[in-house]
Amino acid sequence: MARLVITSTEVPGATLELRLGVNRVGRAPDCDFIIPHPTISSHHCELILSADGVLLRDCDSTNGSFLGEQPIKDLWLEPGHELRFGDIKLRVETTDAHIAIPKIEREIPPAPVQLEDGSFLCVRHPDTRVTFQCTNCNETMCTACVHVMRRQGGKALYLCPICSHKCEPIVSDDKIKKKKSFLGLLEETVRLRFGGRPKR
């Protein structure tokens, strides 16, 4: 992480190891870094650490903040900068901000069990058949697994519990056959009704 070292003999060897966000420097007990010196104000300055670097912001201190002998109010710090808060001298060693994003390992579920009729069992609920499949990650699941979002005045939206994308219902071959059989029966009924009686 970003670090400043106090080089003045009045506070020998002190180091300011910055954390992400605002780091308050001064004599007051609520400061993150307390420098007990009479030329340091109660709330002297702020050292703001972000992914962009370190921003020094003077808090209207009595004896000021300086880069060399130049008074500063706001300054992006660079490694090697020689600073002075009141009579206390500091050197900027590093302005790096190490932001670590933890890697989340997702356990790969076992392959679903296929039944004789071609349907599958849910890997999370082994006694229940798969009824939905995610359009993004292709995860299959039963009705108990899928997340349902109710929309006012519209149809329910089914979301994947893994990636939160849309899920589609899985239509089995049996349902397709039944649907075709019903349509075929309807077609025959319509033909008989409007096509006239067969000739004798």
Side-chain angles (χ1 to χ4, degrees), residues 40-62:
I40 299 292
S41 295
S42 296
H43 297 92
H44 196 95
C45 67
E46 294 177 345
L47 297 167
I48 304 165
L49 177 61
S50 67
D52 297 322
V54 179
L55 175 65
L56 187 154
R57 180 170 292 153
D58 187 82
C59 299
D60 296 323
S61 60
T62 303

Side-chain angles (χ1 to χ4, degrees), residues 10-56:
E10 293 92 331
V11 192
T15 302
L16 281 63
E17 293 276 357
L18 305 185
R19 56 175 175 73
L20 286 172
V22 178
N23 299 264
R24 296 173 181 84
V25 180
R27 283 189 293 109
D30 62 340
C31 288
D32 300 293
F33 298 101
I34 300 171
I35 303 178
H37 193 271
T39 63
I40 299 292
S41 295
S42 296
H43 297 92
H44 196 95
C45 67
E46 294 177 345
L47 297 167
I48 304 165
L49 177 61
S50 67
D52 297 322
V54 179
L55 175 65
L56 187 154

Side-chain angles (χ1 to χ4, degrees), residues 130-141:
V130 163
T131 51
F132 287 90
Q133 184 168 23
C134 178
T135 57
N136 178 61
C137 67
N138 296 321
E139 183 79 8
T140 57
M141 66 211 76

Side-chain angles (χ1 to χ4, degrees), residues 31-153:
C31 288
D32 300 293
F33 298 101
I34 300 171
I35 303 178
H37 193 271
T39 63
I40 299 292
S41 295
S42 296
H43 297 92
H44 196 95
C45 67
E46 294 177 345
L47 297 167
I48 304 165
L49 177 61
S50 67
D52 297 322
V54 179
L55 175 65
L56 187 154
R57 180 170 292 153
D58 187 82
C59 299
D60 296 323
S61 60
T62 303
N63 295 303
S65 300
F66 299 84
L67 174 62
E69 294 304 317
Q70 181 70 33
I72 52 176
K73 284 292 182 184
D74 292 280
L75 176 71
W76 285 99
L77 300 182
E78 298 289 343
H81 274 172
E82 297 288 341
L83 304 175
R84 181 164 60 83
F85 300 159
D87 290 341
I88 301 299
K89 295 180 179 179
L90 305 93
R91 183 180 67 255
V92 180
E93 285 203 343
T94 175
T95 58
D96 294 336
H98 300 292
I99 303 173
I101 300 174
K103 187 178 180 182
I104 300 173
E105 296 287 345
R106 183 169 79 89
E107 185 178 342
I108 300 173
V113 177
Q114 187 171 12
L115 302 176
E116 292 181 2
D117 62 359
S119 62
F120 292 90
L121 292 176
C122 178
V123 294
R124 298 170 195 82
H125 303 94
D127 298 330
T128 310
R129 293 173 188 261
V130 163
T131 51
F132 287 90
Q133 184 168 23
C134 178
T135 57
N136 178 61
C137 67
N138 296 321
E139 183 79 8
T140 57
M141 66 211 76
C142 67
T143 307
C145 293
V146 73
H147 293 168
V148 183
M149 180 183 290
R150 302 288 179 186
R151 296 181 291 181
Q152 187 174 2

